[in-house]
């Protein structure tokens, strides 16, 4: 159901990496270069919609797929439980490979690029979806990616939720189109420092990292940090040439 007063809402269907088809509603709004905004674990709550509206006011078109949870509400505990119901698509504990939904996200990125007739799009992933944004740099439909407080895999130590092939493909994309961006609060326990160090090791010069003072979590939504948002906006203005 569309409830954000979008310019349009459509259902996008594409295979998972298992071959099984997934279908999710996608809302979009705006009139500029496209940014795919991937929801975080608490859901698409008011703070996420404020972020979307900020980007739209800055001149971007925001595409917002809805994976789980009640649209417009933040429900962390309930959504964590829901993930066990959609584990065929998302898996919070995978090490050394991505969740099956990554293939669906790549297809959506190409669909957005083609429907807008642009060279490519930007992607923002947050918490649960942070690492997806980085991995999507392997696809030439993605010109820039931001991983805000990447947190997967849960209980993964310094492991990454990506295979060597995923990392290699993303590194090639970063080398061709410019670095991705990853950021976190410096003392955030949910997006641990050891995971950020692993990302830096994996992607090298292909990844710019920023750590802001504080121990909160959601830089762009629930615990909004103005300098972090401004960095993201500037990054996409440069990468999407607007």
């Amino acid at each position: 159901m569309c409830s954000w007063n979008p310019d349009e809402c459509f259902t996008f269907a594409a295979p998972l990496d298992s071959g099984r088809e997934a279908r999710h509603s996608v809302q979009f709004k705006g009139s500029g270069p496209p940014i795919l905004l991937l929801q975080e674990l608490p859901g698409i709550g008011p703070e996420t919609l404020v972020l979307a509206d900020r980007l739209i006011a800055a001149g971007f078109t925001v595409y917002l797929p809805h994976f789980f949870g009640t649209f417009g509400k933040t429900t962390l505990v309930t959504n964590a439980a829901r993930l066990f119901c959609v584990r065929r698509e998302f898996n919070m504990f995978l090490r050394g490979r991505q969740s099956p939904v990554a293939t669906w996200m790549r297809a959506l990125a190409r669909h957005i690029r083609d429907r807008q007739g642009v060279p490519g799009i930007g992607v923002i992933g947050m918490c649960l979806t942070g690492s997806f944004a980085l991995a999507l740099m392997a696809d030439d439909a993605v010109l820039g990616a931001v991983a805000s407080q990447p947190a997967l895999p849960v209980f993964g130590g310094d492991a990454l939720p990506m295979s060597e092939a995923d990392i290699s493909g993303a590194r090639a994309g970063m080398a061709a189109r410019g670095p991705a961006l990853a950021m976190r609060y410096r003392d955030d326990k949910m997006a641990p420092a050891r995971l950020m160090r692993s990302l830096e090791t994996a992607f090298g010069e292909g990844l710019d990292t920023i750590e802001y003072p504080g121990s909160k979590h959601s830089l762009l939504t629930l615990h909004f940090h103005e300098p972090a948002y401004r960095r993201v906006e500037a990054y996409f203005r440069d990468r999407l040439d607007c």
Side-chain angles (χ1 to χ4, degrees):
M1 174 180 288
C2 298
S3 55
W4 173 50
N5 297 320
D7 292 336
E8 187 175 333
C9 178
F10 60 91
T11 298
F12 184 72
L16 305 173
D17 65 6
S18 63
R20 174 177 171 269
E21 185 179 76
R23 303 171 66 87
H24 295 287
S25 65
V26 181
Q27 302 188 27
F28 76 86
K29 187 176 181 180
S31 58
I35 293 176
L36 174 58
L37 179 58
L38 302 173
Q39 75 175 85
E40 56 193 332
L41 179 58
I44 301 177
E47 297 85 358
T48 301
L49 298 178
V50 168
L51 170 61
D53 284 336
R54 281 177 179 268
L55 291 166
I56 292 161
F60 300 98
T61 299
V62 173
Y63 285 79
L64 191 57
H66 183 207
F67 296 116
F68 52 82
T70 301
F71 193 95
K73 293 185 178 180
T74 299
T75 53
L76 175 59
V77 175
T78 302
N79 282 352
R82 283 192 175 108
L83 279 178
F84 288 95
C85 298
V86 293
R87 58 186 179 275
R88 291 182 179 178
E89 297 181 33
F90 288 89
N91 190 313
M92 297 188 295
F93 306 100
L94 284 179
R95 306 179 191 187
R97 65 187 180 95
Q98 295 180 49
S99 291
V101 75
T103 303
W104 184 93
M105 291 177 180
R106 287 194 290 271
L108 178 60
R110 294 191 292 270
H111 175 78
I112 293 170
R113 176 197 60 187
D114 295 345
R115 83 183 308 278
Q116 289 210 193
V118 293
I121 74 168
V123 181
I124 299 174
M126 303 180 288
C127 183
L128 173 73
T129 58
S131 61
F132 290 111
L134 300 181
L136 283 171
M137 284 293 292
D139 198 295
D140 62 9
V142 178
L143 300 181
V146 172
S148 186
Q149 73 274 357
L152 293 189
V154 175
F155 307 127
D158 57 1
L160 294 178
M162 309 175 197
S163 68
E164 288 300 323
D166 296 328
I167 293 169
S168 177
R171 283 178 65 105
M174 294 167 185
R177 298 185 291 280
L181 174 65
M183 56 188 189
R184 64 185 284 269
Y185 280 111
R186 186 173 298 133
D187 297 313
D188 180 0
K189 304 304 184 194
M190 294 178 65
R194 63 182 181 273
L195 179 56
M196 189 69 84
R197 303 291 82 81
S198 292
L199 290 170
E200 290 172 340
T201 299
F203 295 112
E205 294 182 356
L207 183 67
D208 293 335
T209 58
I210 305 175
E211 295 179 278
Y212 294 97
S215 58
K216 296 180 179 179
H217 181 59
S218 299
L219 281 159
L220 300 177
T221 56
L222 293 166
H223 310 124
F224 182 76
H225 192 270
E226 182 72 31
Y229 169 77
R230 291 190 179 279
R231 180 67 181 86
V232 169
E233 184 181 310
Y235 172 82
F236 283 123
R237 285 192 184 283
D238 176 68
R239 198 54 55 85
L240 302 181
D241 195 24
C242 67

